[in-house]
Amino acid sequence: MKPKEMLAELESAAQSIDVKVSYESIASSMMRGGLCKVKGQYRVIIDKRLNAEERANTLAESLARFDFSGLDTIPQGARSLLDYYAVRSQRLAAG
């Protein structure tokens, strides 16, 4: 799957759980973006200078914290990437 297609699928997944995605300039060269909560709503802010693949990975890593198990509308490609990051974060948390 092409990175732009994956990104579109992940943006759709975010929308389905009411997580806003925005692309902004991030001043730090070390930061790609991530999940935050603004005025009670979850939001993923991604550096707009990233390419589509980096954007998709940043978004998937941020969304992997949410439970998508009850949503049948997420295409398999996006679901696989979300699952990858969910397992990865569990391994990192376990130490």
Side-chain angles (χ1 to χ4, degrees):
M1 174 178 294
K2 293 182 181 180
K4 286 184 180 183
E5 294 169 350
M6 177 66 74
L7 182 59
E9 288 183 2
L10 290 167
E11 289 170 341
S12 178
Q15 185 177 19
S16 71
I17 60 167
D18 201 30
V19 173
K20 183 179 178 184
V21 179
S22 63
Y23 299 94
E24 301 176 18
S25 290
I26 296 177
S28 171
S29 63
M30 302 296 290
M31 185 75 171
R32 297 178 354 185
L35 180 69
C36 62
K37 200 169 192 179
V38 178
K39 296 182 181 179
Q41 181 177 7
Y42 283 105
R43 183 175 173 190
V44 179
I45 302 170
I46 300 171
D47 191 334
K48 68 180 181 179
R49 294 169 291 192
L50 297 177
N51 64 41
E53 184 176 1
E54 292 168 321
R55 288 179 180 195
N57 284 318
T58 302
L59 182 53
E61 188 173 10
S62 298
L63 293 177
R65 299 175 182 150
F66 295 94
D67 181 15
F68 287 94
S69 61
L71 296 176
D72 296 333
T73 59
I74 299 174
Q76 186 56 43
R79 187 172 295 277
S80 294
L81 191 58
L82 290 167
D83 289 344
Y84 166 80
Y85 278 109
V87 169
R88 183 174 176 233
S89 68
Q90 290 171 357
R91 286 184 185 156
L92 290 174

